[in-house]
Amino acid sequence: MKLQDQIAIITGSGGGIGRTIALELAQHGASIVVNDILEEAANAVAAEVEELGREALVSVASVTDPEQVEAMVSEALDKWGRIDILVNNAGITRDGLLVRMKDEQWDAVLDVNLKGAFICTRAVAKPMMKARYGRIINIASVAGVMGNPGQANYAASKGGLIALTKTTAKELAGRGVNCNAVAPGFIETPMTEQLSEAVREGWLSLIPLGRAGTAEDVAGVVAFLAHPEASYITGQVISIDGGMLM
């Protein structure tokens, strides 16, 4: 239980990869702030965390709203007195070809995926610096490294998140706060399950390991980066992609 008694905020953890990360960290001993804009989904994940014997706090807050994020952080500090881990997982897609993309599609994705991560990082930075300990883990994407047709907004947001990761790592290192990113590739999610067989085969043909990743593959690396053993790793981007970028 390497994360025993630690406190973790996972944004967008009402389902998908965020839910799996929340449960993984709980299994390692952490208490969890389950953040999502969908209250019913967040409550369900919180119940799963509590079934594992850990405490959970539900926060129905939008990561794009600084006041809501500050309230979430304050509530966690009031309850536990500390925040050890932040996982910036909340993210959306609004796909479309560059020449047809509307400003609203661009703004929505950048607001949640990039600005939201900045707002949450800023909110936890001071208590982590004061404690001289913290782990910030950003969920980026291989799209932020290699680009992806039809996802100019998403790729830009994840590329920006990688740059934010490195800057955060440099600024907070002197206070014992590490910041890293993971960059998932083709991961089995409800969204990817809806793709046509031809599209799925196209993606799989790019992956040397020959299979899609799972949410558990991502959560395992996040848990490692959150562990005390990862104290000498900061400013890194770890691809979880079966060798796709290679």
Side-chain angles (χ1 to χ4, degrees):
M1 303 283 282
K2 296 295 178 66
L3 302 180
Q4 186 73 38
D5 300 324
Q6 292 200 14
I7 309 303
I9 297 175
I10 298 99
T11 66
S13 50
I17 292 174
R19 167 186 169 272
T20 305
I21 292 171
L23 298 180
E24 179 77 15
L25 297 189
Q27 288 173 340
H28 286 261
S31 294
I32 308 294
V33 178
V34 181
N35 162 259
D36 208 280
I37 57 173
L38 302 176
E39 185 172 8
E40 185 176 350
N43 284 332
V45 175
E48 291 184 276
V49 169
E50 290 170 347
E51 288 174 4
L52 293 171
R54 306 311 304 162
E55 290 186 288
L57 175 65
V58 171
S59 173
V60 183
S62 170
V63 296
T64 64
D65 187 321
E67 291 185 359
Q68 292 184 27
V69 171
E70 289 289 349
M72 172 178 67
V73 170
S74 294
E75 190 174 1
L77 289 172
D78 289 343
K79 182 176 178 64
W80 291 299
R82 58 190 290 181
I83 297 170
D84 302 287
I85 302 161
L86 168 67
V87 181
N88 283 310
N89 167 78
I92 62 171
T93 57
R94 297 289 186 272
D95 295 351
L97 294 174
L98 176 69
V99 295
R100 298 176 185 170
M101 185 172 290
K102 300 182 183 300
D103 290 352
E104 293 80 6
Q105 291 172 280
W106 176 273
D107 291 342
V109 171
L110 269 291
D111 278 351
V112 174
N113 298 8
L114 183 54
K115 188 176 181 180
F118 158 70
I119 290 171
C120 292
T121 298
R122 182 178 62 186
V124 303
K126 286 184 179 179
M128 285 184 174
M129 291 168 70
K130 184 177 180 180
R132 303 191 72 85
Y133 182 88
R135 298 283 187 268
I136 299 171
I137 302 157
N138 295 323
I139 308 302
S141 169
V142 294
V145 181
M146 61 187 286
N148 197 33
Q151 288 192 316
N153 48 4
Y154 184 78
S157 73
K158 295 302 186 178
L161 186 58
I162 289 171
L164 176 63
T165 298
K166 294 176 181 293
T167 298
T168 302
K170 289 183 176 182
E171 289 193 12
L172 304 187
R175 294 296 188 92
V177 180
N178 295 25
C179 183
N180 293 287
V182 298
F186 188 70
I187 306 296
E188 291 285 9
T189 65
M191 182 174 65
T192 58
E193 289 173 0
Q194 297 175 12
L195 298 174
S196 69
E197 191 61 31
V199 171
R200 286 180 58 84
E201 289 179 0
W203 276 107
L204 291 173
S205 70
L206 301 174
I207 303 171
L209 285 183
R211 68 168 179 88
T214 67
E216 288 76 15
D217 290 325
V218 179
V221 178
V222 171
F224 166 70
L225 291 172
H227 280 185
E229 287 93 336
S231 63
Y232 205 55
I233 301 173
T234 197
Q236 302 305 305
V237 183
I238 299 178
S239 296
I240 309 171
D241 63 1
M244 182 192 297
L245 280 177
M246 175 181 65

